[in-house]
């Protein structure tokens, strides 16, 4: 079996291609079942977000990623050759490493963003509910959740601001240590304002008011975060309520002047106001920054915070990669051990089959009245020969052909030259006896056990 990740993201495909390959909630279960019904796949999980679509599957070792690429194209009614240049494929070790990076936020558009881990967990849960995540992918995804948690705990990957909205909220938390009793007035309703509202909400802001020229758009943003919407014409009336003001509109002229802020401060009895103007051109008159009890920051002020945050996250990402490399190797060691488990099971089944044949023959001989001592000796002799025959033939051939590595491996495998005690109450022939002494005959109770079909 082989692990494969096939996908595309914001770095490899434009938005129109990504849109065509998205798996929505209405099709994801059918897609998972279709994927695992494919002749070359036994397990499957699909991660689909606005920035990436990735298919995780367990393949037959001889299968190729082209077969999964063709399935992906057919499912979405897209020519596989059209999407081929935008796809990446990772196998085994590289696949494990890639998933750990994705879950830890190292492959995100915003380095270190935490939302992706929740999306990975949801994808895994959907696959579990659909019955398409088996032993291997189950172990891999549980492993990746643990590693992502360690990356968050042991590095500063998510602690530094790397967007204007995040930087604004980080500064607000420095000025107001407890946001739960504060009111935030957000001017505008675009992506930056929505992101600021999200960060404020996550940090427990008391109230959110969203002001916009179009009240309907303001309501769409405010309703997500238990806030309420007002028209831009009502801005001055609500300004005295605001402890935090974040503005980001496309207005060619300022929407907040010095006079309006002065009046608001009087009503507030000069309680401080924290104001962030992210707009270009500016939304807040520069003279507002000269007022007492006002902390006014602009895009240029925040850019330094963002740049420093990016440097900090890149340093944390390097630390995170060390953790990921270590745990990738750990998972691959477990994966390789599965081959040994299968080999051991096959070897034991062969040995047990030979044993059962020999015991059945011995029982027939005992039933026919043959001497128990003779039967036991013949059983031991034949059983030993049958179990050792194939390895002995291969070792002799290796000696003739000069395969010293195979001979050395056999020496280690069989621990030759070492005293080895067998499991349970049985003892390896010669153990505990003097060199050259013949192994004692089996006691009577052993004979009875063999005659009765035991052993």
């Amino acid at each position: 079996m082989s692990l494969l990740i096939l996908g595309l993201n914001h770095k490899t495909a434009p938005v129109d291609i990504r849109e065509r390959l998205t798996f929505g909630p209405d099709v994801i279960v059918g897609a998972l079942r279709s994927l695992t019904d494919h002749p070359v796949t036994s397990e499957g999980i699909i991660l689909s977000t606005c920035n990436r679509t990735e298919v995780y599957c367990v393949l037959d070792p001889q299968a190729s990623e082209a077969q999964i690429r063709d399935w992906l194209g057919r499912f979405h009614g897209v020519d596989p050759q059209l999407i081929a240049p935008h796809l990446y494929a990772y196998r085994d070790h590289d696949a494990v490493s890639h998933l750990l990076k994705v879950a830890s936020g190292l492959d995100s558009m915003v380095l270190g963003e935490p939302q992706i881990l929740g999306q990975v967990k949801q994808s895994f849960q959907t696959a579990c509910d659909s019955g398409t995540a088996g032993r291997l992918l189950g172990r891999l995804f549980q492993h990746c959740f643990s590693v992502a948690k360690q990356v968050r705990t042991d590095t500063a990957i998510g602690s530094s601001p790397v967007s204007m909205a995040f930087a604004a909220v980080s500064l607000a938390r420095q000025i107001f240590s407890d946001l739960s009793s504060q009111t935030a007035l957000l001017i505008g309703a675009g992506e930056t304002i929505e992101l600021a509202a999200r960060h404020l909400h996550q940090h427990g802001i008391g109230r959110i008011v969203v002001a916009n020229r179009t009240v309907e758009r303001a309501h769409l943003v405010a309703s997500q975060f238990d806030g309420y919407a007002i028209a831009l014409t009502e801005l001055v009336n609500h300004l005295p309520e605001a402890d935090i003001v974040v503005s980001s509109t496309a207005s060619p002229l300022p929407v907040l002047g010095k006079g309006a802020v002065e009046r608001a401060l009087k009503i507030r009895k000069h309680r401080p106001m924290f104001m962030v103007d992210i707009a270009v051109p500016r939304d807040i008159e520069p003279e507002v920054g000269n007022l007492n009890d006002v902390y006014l920051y602009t895009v240029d002020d925040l850019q330094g915070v963002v740049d420093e945050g990016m440097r900090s996250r890149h340093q944390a990402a390097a630390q995170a990669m060390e953790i990921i490399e270590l745990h990738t190797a750990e998972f691959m060691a477990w994966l390789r051990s599965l081959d040994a488990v299968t080999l051991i099971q096959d070897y034991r089944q062969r040995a047990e089959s030979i044993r059962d044949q020999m015991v059945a023959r011995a029982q027939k001989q005992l039933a026919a009245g043959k001497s128990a001592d003779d039967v036991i000796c013949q059983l031991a002799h034949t059983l030993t020969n049958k179990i050792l025959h194939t390895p002995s033939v291969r070792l002799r051939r290796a000696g003739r052909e000069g395969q010293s590595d195979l001979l050395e491996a056999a020496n280690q495998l069989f621990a030759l030259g070492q005293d080895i005690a067998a499991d349970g109450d049985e003892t390896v022939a010669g153990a505990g006896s003097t060199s050259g002494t013949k192994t004692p005959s089996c006691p009577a109770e052993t004979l009875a056990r063999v005659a009765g079909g035991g052993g």
Side-chain angles (χ1 to χ4, degrees):
M1 55 189 165
S2 177
L3 275 171
L4 171 70
I5 296 176
L6 184 78
L8 76 176
N9 62 21
H10 59 280
K11 292 181 282 189
T12 67
V15 66
D16 60 317
I17 295 291
R18 300 202 304 271
E19 286 175 341
R20 297 178 72 178
L21 297 181
T22 297
F23 292 90
D26 54 329
V27 302
I28 187 69
V29 173
L32 286 166
R33 289 173 179 163
S34 171
L35 174 63
T36 51
D37 284 343
H38 196 291
V40 301
T41 63
S42 57
E43 299 180 39
I45 295 175
I46 297 172
L47 172 63
S48 185
T49 73
C50 58
N51 284 330
R52 73 176 65 244
T53 292
E54 293 184 342
V55 177
Y56 301 78
C57 52
V58 177
L59 291 182
D60 294 338
Q62 299 80 15
S64 69
E65 55 257 24
Q67 291 170 284
I68 305 303
R69 180 196 65 201
D70 292 346
W71 170 84
L72 181 63
R74 286 197 308 273
F75 187 89
H76 287 287
V78 178
D79 182 357
Q81 297 305 316
L82 175 67
I83 60 175
H86 304 287
L87 294 173
Y88 46 79
Y90 298 106
R91 286 267 193 163
D92 300 324
H93 178 281
D94 292 338
V96 175
S97 179
H98 178 74
L99 174 59
L100 298 189
K101 285 188 280 189
V102 168
S104 300
L106 301 190
D107 195 55
S108 298
M109 182 179 290
V110 177
L111 182 64
E113 61 92 4
Q115 285 80 17
I116 185 63
L117 178 57
Q119 293 167 327
V120 173
K121 287 182 176 180
Q122 182 57 55
S123 297
F124 174 62
Q125 187 60 54
T126 301
C128 289
D129 294 343
S130 303
T132 63
R135 180 190 183 193
L136 200 155
L137 287 184
R139 178 71 174 258
L140 173 59
F141 273 69
Q142 292 294 349
H143 187 68
C144 98
F145 300 150
S146 175
V147 173
K149 181 179 179 181
Q150 183 179 346
V151 167
R152 289 275 156 191
T153 302
D154 294 354
T155 75
I157 191 67
S159 61
S160 303
V162 290
S163 69
M164 291 295 176
F166 192 0
V169 175
S170 298
L171 286 172
R173 293 176 65 206
Q174 292 178 30
I175 294 171
F176 305 102
S177 57
D178 180 14
L179 297 183
S180 63
S181 59
Q182 312 302 320
T183 294
L185 174 59
L186 309 181
I187 307 172
E191 183 178 347
T192 299
I193 290 297
E194 185 172 344
L195 189 56
R198 187 178 306 280
H199 288 313
L200 286 165
H201 186 69
Q202 289 172 348
H203 287 97
I205 189 71
R207 294 170 63 229
I208 291 178
V209 181
V210 181
N212 193 53
R213 294 188 191 280
T214 307
V215 179
E216 290 78 9
R217 174 59 188 160
H219 179 71
L220 285 175
V221 174
S223 61
Q224 299 179 59
F225 310 106
D226 303 321
Y228 66 95
I230 61 172
L232 205 56
T233 53
E234 301 176 73
L235 179 60
V236 175
N237 297 331
H238 288 270
L239 189 59
E241 305 168 21
D243 303 293
I244 299 166
V245 177
V246 181
S247 188
S248 178
T249 76
S251 174
L253 298 172
V255 296
L256 264 184
K258 182 181 178 183
V261 177
E262 282 180 317
R263 288 190 294 274
L265 286 171
K266 275 186 182 180
I267 298 172
R268 290 173 58 82
K269 296 182 181 178
H270 294 278
R271 283 184 294 115
M273 297 178 73
F274 171 68
M275 310 183 80
V276 180
D277 187 355
I278 304 177
V280 179
R282 298 183 191 185
D283 279 341
I284 303 173
E285 287 183 348
E287 292 77 12
V288 170
N290 299 327
L291 296 173
N292 292 329
D293 306 313
V294 171
Y295 301 88
L296 175 61
Y297 290 83
T298 66
V299 169
D300 291 342
D301 297 322
L302 294 185
Q303 189 60 55
V305 177
V306 170
D307 291 344
E308 180 58 35
M310 283 303 300
R311 282 192 293 271
S312 174
R313 288 205 181 190
H314 280 295
Q315 291 172 357
Q319 296 173 329
M321 278 307 303
E322 293 178 6
I323 295 172
I324 286 171
E325 287 169 5
L326 174 66
H327 287 286
T328 297
E330 180 183 301
F331 184 83
M332 291 306 298
W334 174 80
L335 191 59
R336 287 191 297 271
S337 75
L338 296 184
D339 294 334
V341 168
T342 302
L343 183 63
I344 291 168
Q345 289 174 339
D346 291 347
Y347 188 61
R348 289 188 67 90
Q349 286 174 0
R350 175 183 291 183
E352 288 167 357
S353 175
I354 294 171
R355 176 204 65 195
D356 293 344
Q357 292 174 21
M358 295 302 98
V359 168
R361 181 185 297 177
Q363 289 172 332
K364 287 181 180 179
Q365 292 173 337
L366 287 170
K370 194 168 183 178
S371 163
D373 286 344
D374 290 344
V375 171
I376 290 172
C377 288
Q378 185 177 357
L379 170 65
H381 177 76
T382 307
L383 184 61
T384 301
N385 281 345
K386 281 188 171 292
I387 289 176
L388 295 181
H389 173 72
T390 300
S392 297
V393 170
R394 299 290 167 83
L395 287 172
R396 276 195 292 269
R397 184 188 304 164
R400 287 197 305 270
E401 297 175 358
Q403 299 178 38
S404 56
D405 53 343
L406 180 57
L407 296 174
E408 178 58 31
N411 194 38
Q412 293 185 33
L413 177 64
F414 298 118
L416 300 179
Q418 301 179 28
D419 291 332
I420 303 295
D423 292 336
D425 296 328
E426 300 175 10
T427 305
V428 175
S433 61
T434 57
S435 178
T437 303
K438 187 176 180 180
T439 304
S441 300
C442 296
E445 56 266 28
T446 302
L447 172 60
R449 181 161 55 87
V450 173

